[in-house]
Amino acid sequence: MALFSSLTPVIIAVICICLAVLWSSIKKETGERKVKTEERTSSRRWADEDLGDETELMVDENAGDFLEKDLEVQHIPYSAPRYSEDEMICRANKFYQQMNARRSIRFISEEMVPREVIDSIIRTAGTAPSGAHTEPWTFVVIEDPETKHQIRAIIEEEEEINYKKRMGKKWVSDLKQMRTNWIKDYLDAAPYLILVFKQTYGILPTGKKTHYYNEISVSISCGILLAALQNAGLVTVTTTPLNCGPRVRVILGRPANEKLLLLLPVGYPAEGATVPDFKRKPLDEIMVFV
Ligand code: IYR
């Protein structure tokens, strides 16, 4: 008993030290987590809040995919045209030259473009590969002048905030060479606006359908769309309207699973259109051959 009572202050001291160590490690960990979150939000203050890729949240083993999963898909023979080596080289070079002439054009003529060309271009974009063949894209084509104007009003309002607040000094200064600002005449002038939405998930009668790799799938389809426009002799400028998605989606009556990825004004170049005299990196700077 005497031994116990003489040890009591020692035991209490040990317990106090343990508690203090535990408390400081908890505080340190939560502090670090807070700093990390703050860093993330402050360095990404310009990031489009509407564009989060929710694929990882959507992979639900019990979701409503089973209807489609049970459908048996036949595999059929595939064949491709086979060219001679000379012809292949010639075709590859010709296509490169055609694509190398593509530029982002911010001066677009009001001249009308046949609707059939646009249909064909969207069909072409829809040939892109997609995660599990989910085809997670919606292309909204706007021809109606009033709707184009409403879109312009939203974009210009948000872009003014982007340029003045969200993008920050460095970004705005990096863009000086392009002579851009928040005024977007081409949104009224272009005969068509193509708005590309990624579907973060699909909607089945039985529930939500997982759209794997939806952002990269839609991005690939955008590349094909740009090539198709170039092939038809049309121009555009790839615009990513930061933080405009939700308002634009509401105006167009699109559902919440669709997020605006790209907005393309499409038409012929306006007379007197200019472009910055940019050069492309040579092959040895973009290709590593092993
Ligand atoms: N979306 C803005 C800003 C902009 C951003 C980049 I990165 C560009 O390459 C060009 C413009 C705009 O369209 O003005």
Side-chain angles (χ1 to χ4, degrees):
M1 197 60 194
L3 177 68
F4 183 75
S5 59
S6 72
L7 280 180
T8 307
V10 179
I11 293 168
I12 291 173
V14 169
I15 292 172
C16 286
I17 290 167
C18 286
L19 284 175
V21 169
L22 191 67
W23 175 242
S24 83
S25 81
I26 290 172
K27 249 176 77 177
K28 190 167 163 250
E29 212 215 312
T30 45
E32 272 169 8
R33 225 181 292 145
K34 204 172 150 217
V35 168
K36 272 195 193 135
T37 320
E38 274 164 10
E39 265 171 19
R40 219 182 306 128
T41 31
S42 68
S43 67
R44 285 174 56 81
R45 67 186 180 285
W46 45 266
D48 195 316
E49 285 152 24
D50 193 43
L51 268 182
D53 187 332
E54 293 134 40
T55 303
E56 70 279 10
L57 305 176
M58 289 302 309
V59 184
D60 173 358
E61 301 299 334
N62 303 313
D65 300 286
F66 67 90
L67 253 189
E68 297 227 324
K69 237 186 302 177
D70 291 343
L71 283 179
E72 182 70 28
V73 174
Q74 278 198 354
H75 284 218
I76 53 172
Y78 171 79
S79 65
R82 177 78 199 231
Y83 306 111
S84 71
E85 289 193 0
D86 280 350
E87 200 178 348
M88 245 196 319
I89 293 167
C90 181
R91 289 176 67 95
N93 282 336
K94 256 178 94 178
F95 189 65
Y96 158 64
Q97 275 158 18
Q98 211 186 323
M99 291 310 297
N100 195 32
R102 186 206 57 78
R103 298 299 311 265
S104 288
I105 304 297
R106 295 181 168 81
F107 307 94
I108 300 184
S109 152
E110 291 180 8
E111 190 182 341
M112 208 49 215
V113 169
R115 164 75 196 275
E116 207 178 324
V117 176
I118 301 299
D119 288 357
S120 191
I121 281 163
I122 302 294
R123 250 189 235 113
T124 307
T127 65
S130 60
H133 191 57
T134 46
E135 303 174 277
W137 37 67
T138 305
F139 303 94
V140 177
V141 179
I142 307 177
E143 186 190 19
D144 174 50
E146 182 49 38
T147 312
K148 281 195 291 182
H149 197 67
Q150 281 178 300
I151 300 285
R152 176 177 177 178
I154 294 173
I155 306 272
E156 289 189 340
E157 196 182 300
E158 290 292 334
E159 286 283 47
E160 185 169 2
I161 305 170
N162 294 335
Y163 273 87
K164 289 182 175 170
K165 291 195 184 133
R166 296 188 187 117
M167 285 155 58
K169 275 198 186 96
K170 167 126 186 11
W171 191 354
V172 172
S173 136
D174 285 345
L175 290 182
K176 277 206 178 112
Q177 50 183 348
M178 280 148 172
R179 301 189 192 162
T180 57
N181 59 31
W182 57 89
I183 310 290
K184 311 287 182 198
D185 296 322
Y186 52 71
L187 294 175
D188 275 324
Y192 299 104
L193 303 181
I194 300 179
L195 283 79
V196 186
F197 288 84
K198 65 169 190 176
Q199 300 168 357
T200 51
Y201 55 87
I203 298 164
L204 294 172
T206 45
K208 291 177 175 178
K209 175 181 173 183
T210 311
H211 279 177
Y212 306 96
Y213 296 107
N214 57 75
E215 182 155 330
I216 191 159
S217 304
V218 182
S219 305
I220 294 169
S221 85
C222 289
I224 296 176
L225 201 160
L226 294 181
L229 287 171
Q230 181 67 11
N231 181 57
L234 296 173
V235 296
T236 188
V237 50
T238 46
T239 73
T240 48
L242 187 61
N243 281 332
C244 299
R247 290 172 68 190
V248 168
R249 190 169 67 224
V250 168
I251 283 207
L252 298 174
R254 301 310 306 162
N257 62 325
E258 293 185 0
K259 313 279 183 195
L260 180 62
L261 203 63
L262 212 63
L263 187 158
L264 301 167
V266 169
Y268 301 105
E271 247 184 64
T274 56
V275 292
D277 190 13
F278 289 149
K279 303 286 177 260
R280 300 198 204 279
K281 289 180 179 173
L283 186 62
D284 63 2
E285 273 183 45
I286 61 170
M287 180 172 83
V288 177
F289 205 90
V290 181

